[in-house]
């Protein structure tokens, strides 16, 4: 039953319809998680005993950094699946993930800088963590540029997938960088085998934000995927049927609106 | 709770609020851009359909 689900999901028209039904629900849950996380992080959580209120940047910085790694792995795995089994949808997942991953990487870097300035006294250091995260941003930008540079979208997708797979080597480097090289960046506080060295009232908003960001990625990637599907399948029957019917409905709506402001009916 | 204290963020207002503001802008961009793109794609496909209907 599981396999059948996957087979059906890999068919673009089925995926398009189902994902359209999911999106509003995902958006509601995502918004609720982020709002709860913001309230917990900005209002409920006490100020840090060392860092004061500046530590609240953690609720943007850490979830963004987690997402930058998570999305990269998703992108590389989806690219690999597309490469090996020629599943169009997997290829599209990889390509659609790149700009979102780049966004989160950018956020992680900039908020890290904004946190580093008051705490370390500097916006930037060329240490292992910061440098490898910057390379991650360049990898994302490389995937986006490579995909955009090749006209044949299937070949472009394959080239981008190979670049994404090669770049995976950077992921463990980022993760272990704070343990391998002793630098300004603090060690892990949550993702270690010990108990997390963060108080529960500070940890819960962090997990809420992380969950919200993960759902946000799911929503953003679904939105991009759906456009990508329409574009690639524009000559197929189901797309012309779908758009054709919407087009006609739009026209009748336009006519209704025009008759609403019919000058004959707008009497004095 | 005092609202002024909340916005002052213990003196770190610039760093904290710039971070949250940027996050908002980046997330909003990731919703708006796909919406605009989808509209463009739908328009292009609709035009293509009208063209083929006329020639058919």
């Amino acid at each position: 039953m599981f396999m059948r689900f996957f087979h059906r999901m890999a068919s673009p028209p089925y995926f398009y319809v189902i994902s359209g039904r999911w999106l509003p629900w995902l958006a509601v849950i995502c918004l609720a998680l982020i709002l709860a996380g913001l309230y917990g992080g900005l209002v409920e959580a006490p100020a840090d005993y060392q860092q004061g209120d500046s530590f609240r940047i953690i609720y943007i910085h850490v979830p963004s950094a987690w997402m930058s790694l998570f999305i990269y792995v998703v992108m590389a795995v989806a690219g690999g699946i597309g490469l090996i089994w020629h599943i169009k949808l997997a290829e599209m997942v990889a390509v659609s993930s790149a700009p979102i991953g780049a966004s989160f990487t950018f956020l992680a870097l900039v908020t890290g800088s904004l946190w580093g300035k008051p705490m370390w006294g500097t916006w930037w250091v060329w240490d292992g963590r910061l440098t490898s995260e910057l390379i991650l941003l360049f990898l994302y930008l490389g995937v986006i540029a490579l995909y955009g540079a090749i006209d044949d979208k299937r070949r472009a997708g394959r080239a981008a997938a190979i670049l994404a797979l090669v770049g995976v080597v950077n992921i463990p480097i980022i993760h272990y960088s704070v343990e391998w090289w002793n630098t300004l960046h603090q060690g892990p506080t949550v993702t270690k085998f010990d108990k997390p060295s963060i108080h529960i009232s500070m940890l819960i908003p962090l997990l809420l934000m992380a969950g919200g960001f993960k759902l946000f990625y799911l929503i953003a990637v679904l939105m991009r995927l759906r456009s990508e599907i329409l574009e690639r399948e524009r000559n197929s029957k189901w797309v012309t049927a779908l758009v054709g019917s919407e087009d006609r409905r739009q026209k009748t709506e336009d006519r209704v609106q025009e008759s609403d402001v019919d000058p004959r009916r707008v009497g004095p | 709770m005092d609202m002024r204290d909340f916005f002052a963020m213990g003196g770190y207002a610039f760093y904290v609020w710039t971070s949250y503001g940027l996050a908002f802008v980046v997330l909003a961009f990731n919703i708006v851009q796909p919406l605009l793109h989808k509209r463009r794609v739908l328009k292009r496909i609709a035009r293509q359909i009208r063209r083929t209907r006329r020639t058919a």
Side-chain angles (χ1 to χ4, degrees):
Chain A
M1 186 201 143
F2 213 56
M3 281 317 286
R4 208 171 61 208
F5 174 74
F6 271 107
H7 267 286
R8 278 207 304 201
M9 284 313 274
S11 120
Y14 186 77
F15 183 88
Y16 187 88
V17 173
I18 289 292
S19 61
R21 255 181 250 161
W22 285 351
L23 269 174
W25 297 101
L26 292 173
V28 169
I29 303 170
C30 173
L31 201 66
L33 281 174
I34 289 184
L35 288 178
L38 283 177
Y39 181 77
L42 288 171
V43 182
E44 288 274 287
D48 185 70
Y49 81 106
Q50 277 183 325
Q51 305 197 359
D53 282 312
S54 79
F55 99 97
R56 296 184 198 281
I57 295 174
I58 200 177
Y59 299 115
I60 303 293
H61 177 71
V62 169
S64 301
W66 283 344
M67 288 316 296
S68 72
L69 300 182
F70 176 78
I71 296 175
Y72 197 92
V73 174
V74 170
M75 180 175 81
V77 169
I81 291 174
L83 219 49
I84 298 166
W85 287 292
H86 299 282
I87 298 174
K88 271 192 280 184
L89 203 61
E91 217 170 75
M92 289 188 245
V93 168
V95 169
S96 308
S97 293
I100 312 164
S103 299
F104 279 117
T105 312
F106 170 79
L107 262 187
L109 284 166
V110 176
T111 55
S113 210
L114 283 160
W115 196 1
K117 184 61 185 165
M119 289 303 111
W120 305 341
T122 177
W123 297 104
W124 184 263
V125 281
W126 289 103
D127 79 339
R129 176 54 71 85
L130 277 69
T131 309
S132 52
E133 183 78 10
L134 184 65
I135 291 173
L136 186 71
L137 180 63
F138 292 151
L139 280 169
Y140 275 124
L141 296 180
V143 167
I144 296 169
L146 190 59
Y147 183 72
I150 304 173
D151 280 331
D152 178 358
K153 284 304 155 209
R154 298 236 50 188
R155 287 182 62 189
R158 277 203 294 274
I162 291 171
L163 176 59
L165 280 169
V166 172
V168 167
V169 69
N170 192 32
I171 298 297
I173 296 180
I174 298 176
H175 183 74
Y176 291 110
S177 58
V178 284
E179 291 171 24
W180 291 345
W181 300 290
N182 219 344
T183 75
L184 283 177
H185 196 288
Q186 64 192 59
T189 38
V190 182
T191 52
K192 54 183 186 184
F193 290 114
D194 266 339
K195 243 176 36 200
S197 47
I198 177 172
H199 191 263
I200 191 79
S201 64
M202 293 174 170
L203 179 62
I204 287 172
L206 186 61
L207 296 179
L208 286 171
M209 287 300 275
F213 274 27
K214 200 158 267 180
L215 272 182
F216 181 89
Y217 161 63
L218 191 59
I219 292 166
V221 83
L222 281 179
M223 289 173 72
R224 279 176 194 276
L225 260 177
R226 286 161 57 79
S227 304
E228 186 82 21
I229 289 173
L230 286 181
E231 204 165 18
R232 288 206 194 188
E233 306 256 305
R234 60 179 175 273
N235 293 322
S236 68
K237 262 200 192 109
W238 73 270
V239 170
T240 47
L242 185 96
V243 180
S245 66
E246 283 202 356
D247 194 36
R248 246 169 284 160
R249 197 165 61 218
Q250 190 65 44
K251 271 203 195 115
T252 46
E253 271 170 26
D254 287 349
R255 258 203 302 278
V256 171
Q257 270 160 6
E258 273 163 32
S259 64
D260 279 347
V261 288
D262 189 341
R264 278 166 296 180
R265 273 197 275 164
V266 189
Chain B
M1 190 192 57
D2 190 353
M3 276 323 255
R4 217 165 330 144
D5 277 357
F6 176 68
F7 286 113
M9 277 290 149
Y12 295 112
F14 169 75
Y15 303 106
V16 173
W17 295 121
T18 311
S19 294
Y20 280 83
L22 260 174
F24 179 78
V25 171
V26 170
L27 294 195
F29 173 82
N30 272 290
I31 294 296
V32 172
Q33 203 220 349
L35 282 178
L36 292 178
H37 181 68
K38 187 176 184 195
R39 223 170 54 185
R40 259 200 324 271
V41 171
L42 283 178
K43 261 194 195 140
R44 201 161 25 188
I45 297 173
R47 217 172 21 237
Q48 178 190 317
I49 293 170
R50 258 172 269 153
R51 211 167 21 218
T52 47
R53 262 196 212 131
R54 233 175 288 144
T55 51

